[in-house]
Amino acid sequence: MKPEAPEVVAFIDRAMVARIATRSARGTPQIMPLWFVRAKGKLLMTNNETSPTVRNIAADPRVVVVVEADRGNDSRCLRIAGTARFRSERSTLTRTVL
């Protein structure tokens, strides 16, 4: 399915937490659950700039994000592979947190 498919968008919009998998500079894998919102076709996640996840993204921006159904008896999940970057602009933070 394409990322902009209505079923994909609806599935993502129903979820609140995604798991992001990163790899450290040494190659150690890490998976971290994070709150997120979808905005303009991107997933915006909250995290502290000193977190291991952000450091991992700085070392290697390739990530995999897994979004699972948060409600009901739905056992589906969506796996998204891509690249990530840490953004500290206030406008990004406002869209993610507020």
Side-chain angles (χ1 to χ4, degrees):
M1 271 188 202
K2 295 186 178 192
E4 65 276 1
E7 309 91 82
V8 172
V9 171
F11 185 82
I12 290 172
D13 285 348
R14 284 192 303 271
M16 294 174 53
V17 176
R19 287 172 178 77
I20 184 168
T22 60
R23 187 170 59 182
S24 72
R26 294 183 190 174
T28 306
Q30 177 189 10
I31 298 174
M32 180 63 62
L34 295 173
W35 292 87
F36 79 94
V37 296
R38 184 182 59 80
K40 297 182 181 180
K42 297 180 188 268
L43 299 182
L44 303 178
M45 300 177 169
T46 59
N47 211 331
N48 187 305
E49 64 186 306
T50 60
S51 76
T53 302
V54 172
R55 287 194 310 266
N56 292 351
I57 289 168
D60 184 347
R62 296 174 296 170
V63 299
V64 173
V65 175
V66 176
V67 179
E68 297 179 51
D70 285 346
R71 298 175 180 95
N73 294 326
D74 193 344
S75 62
R76 296 177 298 160
C77 68
L78 175 66
R79 184 177 67 94
I80 306 163
T83 56
R85 63 185 166 132
F86 179 73
R87 297 185 56 180
S88 60
E89 299 91 18
R90 187 153 194 73
S91 62
T92 301
L93 181 62
T94 301
R95 286 186 294 180
T96 307
V97 177
L98 300 179

